[in-house]
Amino acid sequence: MVSATVDSEADILSNLNINAGDWPSNLVKNLCLLSPDQIGLGKMLVEMGQSHLFQQWTDPGVEDDKKKAFFAQVAKLNSSYPGGLASYIKNARELLADSKVGKSPYDGFTPSVPTGEVISFGDDNFIKYEEAGVKEAQNAAFVLVAGGLGERLGFNGIKVELLAEATTGICFLQLYIEAILALQEGSCRLTQGTFQKDIPFVIMTSDDTHTRTLEVLESNSYFGMKPTQVKLLKQEKVACLDDNDARLALDPHNKYQIQTKPHGHGDVHSLLYSSGLLKVWLGAGLRWVLFFQDTNGLLFKAIPASLGVSATKQYQVNSLAVQRKAKEAMGGITRLTHSDGRTMVINVEYNQLDPLLRAAGHPDGDADCETGFSPFPGNINQLILELGPYIEELTKTGGAIKEFVNPKYKDASKTSFKSSTRLECMMQDYPKTLPPTARVGFTVMDKWLAYAPVKNNPEDASKVPKGNPYHSATSGEMAIYRANSLILVKAGVQVEGPVQQVFNGQEVEVWPCITWKPKWGLTFSEIKSKVRQSCSVSQRSTMVLKGRDIFLEDLSLDGALIINSIDGAQVKVGGSIQNKGWLVERIDYKDTSSPEELRIRGFKINKLEQLEQTYSEPGKFILKPQC
């Protein structure tokens, strides 16, 4: 029996033109267990210097299932990376060599201020772009990058399931879907379309979030969106690296499993490319793909105007940005020109931008200009890409995005790592491979309108230096009320200013708790048309508008008002409304008697008294309480 096995191994090696001495003996012994495809993968690993993976393998007949599982994992890692695992290892060696000698990815590049569009909320230019963007929305697809859990925020669920605001209890995923549906409806209305086109919505998930995302969608009937509109694409992890030679790291608890970690949200490009969706969209006449992140409750207030900029300026790449103070801890959109003539417009991280400017002859580095802000706008990781050129580029690259590696070295010799590392890629680095002829620009919005991400837990947020953004569930929710209040002020409503309060160690502005469904106020001009005569809202007030055709006419609100109405019900709300209202009450994030989604905010809504009216039949209605 042993002789037959040896003969079999010899035959296999002979057929592959392999010298047995070149292969690890433990792998050679187990060749009889493997399929031709698995043997091919083994050959690739040996040739790429990964023989150590088989060092602890047992003889045939022992742990054979685990050996087959090993090759199943290798096959998955190989198929999910553009160019395969051999390409991953090759790229890793190059990047690790650069990292060891301290080579900057920007060596040879000179920074300058790129070309883009700076728009101010509510002016004629903004309104023009918003209208153009809503018209163009029916030619767009939306892609949500949502591979993360909420553990880092102190929330035991997926991030898109987190409440955007506690007044209505709407989660981020519902908010995003309702905003897309409002754009879908508004686009059809503005273009006077004979039928409403369904806007495709893709969600990039991960092993951690895929099942839960699907459960949230199905248990909530996709929040009103057709299930056929929604597509989930699951991101795979990549192999970890043990050293500067890019030796793949084995799981410390399983000698038959390669350790893996997330590759970064740049994988969204290769997933879209390999799924075939992009060509389907092109065939359906779509023109734009919009990428956005998972916990920014303000984003869709900025999307219509930004899409309008893309269409008007014919940008192939449009990065959404906000005004940024010099040296602020957010990346800056920068034009980089290489000494060989290459140019690109990309995000440069703030800790790289300042030294890059100093090295290029700017003694003050990243400094504010006459506007009071840095001339390099702050990147918020939302992209609008023109579909045709996007497909052309991905056809060349296979969807691969320029990667980076960030090993944590044990000491200054940089010869060994504290723990395994891996290659990473970022969605916003897509423009790095574009030709100089590509039309790449940006759209700068007011920060209060466009950017309030939730990415810090209460403890970390409370340690943020004074004057810097908390980026917590507390600040994210208060930013929504602030933005809605300021929008109504711009529309002519007298909204009482905020008071300062401290929740979970964070001092924030508390504005009236004003919120509305996206279909009520998709654009500023639409909101302005629904506010008539003289209206006022006190600071302690709460106002929730759930319906498309709700008009505020000579309303004086001091308390809580909730209006629910179906499409076809036109409601005019006015007069003096006064009641005990809803109170924002402080709670401690360590107090486990409160739900964790409230604890991480540091407050709850105590609903003392409200005026709530529901209109479930079509018609014209007036709500005007008498004093």
Side-chain angles (χ1 to χ4, degrees), residues 496-550:
E496 192 175 351
V499 296
Q500 298 287 124
Q501 289 195 43
V502 177
F503 303 106
N504 283 346
Q506 304 158 57
E507 187 176 6
V508 292
E509 289 183 346
V510 182
W511 290 75
C513 295
I514 298 171
T515 184
W516 54 74
K517 290 282 187 184
K519 68 161 58 181
W520 181 77
L522 185 60
T523 64
F524 177 61
S525 57
E526 190 175 20
I527 291 167
K528 200 172 180 181
S529 72
K530 293 175 181 177
V531 175
R532 301 166 181 175
Q533 299 178 42
S534 177
C535 295
S536 64
V537 179
S538 71
Q539 185 277 327
R540 71 178 193 91
S541 290
T542 297
M543 183 166 66
V544 179
L545 304 176
K546 297 182 178 180
R548 190 178 65 200
D549 298 314
I550 301 170

Side-chain angles (χ1 to χ4, degrees), residues 280-550:
V280 171
W281 294 344
L282 191 67
L286 298 192
R287 189 181 171 194
W288 309 102
V289 187
L290 289 91
F291 298 84
F292 63 105
Q293 304 289 321
D294 47 15
T295 53
N296 180 4
L298 298 180
L299 177 66
F300 275 86
K301 297 182 186 302
I303 276 179
S306 301
L307 182 54
V309 170
S310 282
T312 305
K313 299 287 185 178
Q314 297 188 320
Y315 285 156
Q316 293 173 2
V317 178
N318 184 6
S319 294
L320 276 63
V322 294
Q323 293 170 323
R324 170 183 163 276
K325 298 292 284 186
K327 301 177 181 62
E328 186 178 343
M330 67 188 308
I333 308 293
T334 309
R335 175 179 291 280
L336 296 175
T337 305
H338 198 271
S339 53
D340 63 12
R342 285 179 292 142
T343 64
M344 55 184 174
V345 177
I346 60 161
N347 169 69
V348 176
E349 290 304 325
Y350 72 96
N351 58 343
Q352 294 172 313
L353 179 58
D354 189 67
L356 191 61
L357 285 162
R358 291 178 190 276
H362 300 274
D364 296 329
D366 182 22
D368 291 334
C369 62
E370 65 278 0
T371 63
F373 295 95
S374 168
F376 299 93
N379 171 51
I380 63 171
N381 272 4
Q382 325 293 334
L383 292 176
I384 303 176
L385 304 183
E386 188 178 1
L387 181 57
Y390 180 48
I391 292 175
E392 286 177 25
E393 181 62 20
L394 294 194
T395 302
K396 297 176 199 168
T397 64
I401 297 300
K402 288 282 187 182
E403 294 163 305
F404 64 95
V405 68
N406 187 25
K408 302 293 186 288
Y409 298 105
K410 282 186 178 177
D411 54 43
S413 69
K414 295 188 176 181
T415 53
S416 56
F417 305 158
K418 290 180 181 177
S419 60
S420 62
T421 189
R422 85 286 197 186
L423 301 191
E424 299 177 72
C425 61
M426 297 190 291
M427 178 185 77
Q428 65 270 28
D429 280 349
Y430 162 75
K432 281 187 174 180
T433 57
L434 295 179
T437 53
R439 296 185 301 277
V440 181
F442 59 79
T443 303
V444 178
M445 294 274 181
D446 298 295
K447 190 181 287 188
W448 64 263
L449 180 75
Y451 190 56
V454 177
K455 52 188 182 181
N456 286 329
N457 62 47
E459 206 160 344
D460 290 343
S462 66
K463 295 172 184 172
V464 168
K466 190 172 177 62
N468 290 298
Y470 297 116
H471 289 168
S472 65
T474 310
S475 61
E477 176 161 353
M478 291 303 170
I480 292 173
Y481 302 141
R482 178 183 188 228
N484 289 341
S485 294
L486 292 174
I487 289 168
L488 287 186
V489 168
K490 193 77 174 176
V493 179
Q494 287 183 297
V495 179
E496 192 175 351
V499 296
Q500 298 287 124
Q501 289 195 43
V502 177
F503 303 106
N504 283 346
Q506 304 158 57
E507 187 176 6
V508 292
E509 289 183 346
V510 182
W511 290 75
C513 295
I514 298 171
T515 184
W516 54 74
K517 290 282 187 184
K519 68 161 58 181
W520 181 77
L522 185 60
T523 64
F524 177 61
S525 57
E526 190 175 20
I527 291 167
K528 200 172 180 181
S529 72
K530 293 175 181 177
V531 175
R532 301 166 181 175
Q533 299 178 42
S534 177
C535 295
S536 64
V537 179
S538 71
Q539 185 277 327
R540 71 178 193 91
S541 290
T542 297
M543 183 166 66
V544 179
L545 304 176
K546 297 182 178 180
R548 190 178 65 200
D549 298 314
I550 301 170

Side-chain angles (χ1 to χ4, degrees), residues 78 139 142 165 190 240 253 275 325 391 460 465 480 534 580:
N78 191 56
N139 301 319
F142 286 79
E165 42 87 0
L190 264 185
C240 291
H253 307 294
S275 72
K325 298 292 284 186
I391 292 175
D460 290 343
I480 292 173
S534 177
K580 292 178 182 177

Side-chain angles (χ1 to χ4, degrees), residues 28-288:
V28 172
K29 288 177 190 175
N30 286 280
L31 286 177
C32 56
L33 301 173
L34 308 179
S35 70
D37 285 345
Q38 290 172 333
I39 292 171
L41 289 170
K43 182 173 186 286
M44 178 270 294
L45 288 172
V46 172
E47 289 174 349
M48 295 304 296
Q50 306 297 328
S51 295
H52 67 284
L53 295 172
F54 308 102
Q55 194 171 341
Q56 299 179 61
W57 275 36
T58 55
D59 289 344
V62 181
E63 301 178 316
D64 290 349
D65 288 345
K66 291 183 179 180
K67 296 165 190 172
K68 291 175 182 176
F70 168 85
F71 273 105
Q73 184 196 23
V74 170
K76 191 174 184 180
L77 290 169
N78 191 56
S79 64
S80 62
Y81 185 84
L85 203 46
S87 180
Y88 179 79
I89 295 166
K90 178 177 175 289
N91 293 341
R93 285 185 180 139
E94 292 174 1
L95 289 167
L96 285 165
D98 288 346
S99 175
K100 187 176 181 182
V101 299
K103 183 180 177 182
S104 167
Y106 303 121
D107 283 353
F109 284 99
T110 302
S112 60
V113 179
T115 302
E117 190 75 1
V118 180
I119 54 181
S120 183
F121 176 78
D123 66 14
D124 291 344
N125 207 32
F126 184 91
I127 291 169
K128 177 193 74 175
Y129 281 132
E130 269 200 326
E131 184 173 347
V134 174
K135 285 180 179 176
E136 204 64 42
Q138 63 186 325
N139 301 319
F142 286 79
V143 180
L144 169 60
V145 180
L149 294 168
E151 289 173 343
R152 188 173 147 197
L153 305 172
F155 175 64
N156 189 30
I158 57 175
K159 285 162 75 175
V160 293
E161 194 182 7
L162 186 68
L163 298 186
E165 42 87 0
T167 297
T168 63
I170 191 171
C171 71
F172 281 104
L173 187 54
Q174 180 178 354
L175 176 65
Y176 294 153
I177 286 177
E178 289 184 355
I180 293 169
L181 291 174
L183 275 169
Q184 182 176 291
E185 182 185 309
S187 189
C188 180
R189 202 164 57 241
L190 264 185
T191 56
Q192 298 178 333
T194 52
F195 70 97
Q196 186 171 289
K197 290 163 69 175
D198 293 339
I199 293 177
F201 180 38
V202 170
I203 306 173
M204 185 178 84
T205 61
S206 64
D207 283 332
D208 296 327
T209 65
H210 186 84
T211 300
R212 184 63 192 142
T213 302
L214 193 58
E215 286 174 355
V216 171
L217 286 167
E218 290 178 344
S219 63
N220 290 282
S221 303
Y222 286 74
F223 297 109
M225 188 171 267
K226 294 176 186 174
T228 51
Q229 282 178 257
V230 185
K231 178 79 172 177
L232 270 57
L233 297 179
K234 185 159 76 76
Q235 173 191 27
E236 302 296 342
K237 294 178 181 178
V238 291
C240 291
L241 309 160
D242 249 347
D243 56 28
N244 285 323
D245 293 324
R247 282 159 45 103
L248 302 184
L250 282 169
D251 189 312
H253 307 294
N254 185 347
K255 63 187 177 184
Y256 297 104
Q257 184 166 306
I258 296 169
Q259 193 178 2
T260 60
K261 289 182 182 177
H263 189 221
H265 47 54
D267 276 353
V268 69
H269 301 295
S270 60
L271 283 170
L272 284 171
Y273 178 73
S274 61
S275 72
L277 282 173
L278 298 176
K279 290 186 177 178
V280 171
W281 294 344
L282 191 67
L286 298 192
R287 189 181 171 194
W288 309 102

